[in-house]
Amino acid sequence: MLERNSSTGKFRDYITAVIDSVRNPFAVSRSETARKNLIIFDEDADRSNKTIYEIKHERMATEGRDRELAQVARRVMKRECKEVQQDILELPNTLGAMFISETSRLPPMLPLGIMMLDLIEARVAYGTVTPKLYTWKKLMTYAGDGGDQRLQYAQLYGGKHPMMHQNTVKEAKNFSNEYNMVTLRSISILVTWLHIYLRINPAQWETRVIRADRQALFTPGHARPIPGQALKQFATNIKNNNIKNNNMHALFYNEAIRPALMRRSGTLDILF
């Protein structure tokens, strides 16, 4: 069972996994929530060098099971799976954080969260020098080193999920007005997902993602590079609803991006 924390305090609006007192009447826990429900994960977690999402990831046995857990996650959200294995009890709690807490802070996290499940389940790789797969670990934890400042960097950058780092509430409020870690990570996920989606689903538009110089094929066979400043202006125009029906950006948005987003938001099934 999941309980949403109160809207005040240090961990406001977080999701807490609690014991089902009806199915487990003799359960024992050292801690309880404000509503007097027993907490499943009640151990004193060491937060001296880990973020809360890094601790959550440690509770899940994801190594070599990323695709499987993405599939289980969908089944849980579709209510096709009413119980999970003991070693992944943190999964429903994490899904609650991703799709309730973070979505309440920034509604676009709903389709973006499902996109991330798609990328993990489909074993999509990113990076042009050394291909790396999207994983639960990369989603939830900081991948860099940082030495003595590792925790500081982990709090600042988090994992690939746009909202799994500190200051996300403040950054989410400025999502449409500035470029911060939330907007940059959101754009990264969206571009990668669209790149795969438009390759697999028949369309008049294609994308080509290059690490150093993102490019787009506005029409098949006609490559047109998008300089960094133009890409930024494109995103700004969309956020400010400043796109005209007679320009290429508007056509790309209305004929490719918007239909893909609408379809992604309409189902929990994987789309590629």
Side-chain angles (χ1 to χ4, degrees), residues 124-185:
V124 172
Y126 65 96
T128 56
V129 178
T130 303
K132 296 166 286 188
L133 296 176
Y134 283 94
T135 64
W136 286 95
K137 183 175 182 179
K138 290 187 175 72
L139 187 77
M140 302 173 67
T141 70
Y142 173 66
D145 182 10
D148 294 338
Q149 295 181 300
R150 197 211 77 85
L151 179 59
Q152 180 179 343
Y153 286 118
Q155 292 171 337
L156 180 62
Y157 299 114
K160 288 195 170 295
H161 189 290
M163 298 289 284
M164 292 188 180
H165 62 275
Q166 287 191 354
N167 297 320
T168 56
V169 175
K170 178 182 178 181
E171 291 176 355
K173 290 179 180 178
N174 296 308
F175 182 72
S176 300
N177 301 314
E178 70 177 30
Y179 284 86
N180 50 50
M181 286 306 300
V182 171
T183 59
L184 292 174
R185 291 214 182 279

Side-chain angles (χ1 to χ4, degrees), residues 68-85:
E68 173 195 346
L69 294 192
Q71 293 171 335
V72 173
R74 283 185 212 279
R75 292 174 55 218
V76 168
M77 292 194 294
K78 293 166 71 174
R79 302 183 68 185
E80 295 174 354
C81 176
K82 301 295 181 67
E83 229 175 285
V84 297
Q85 296 174 210

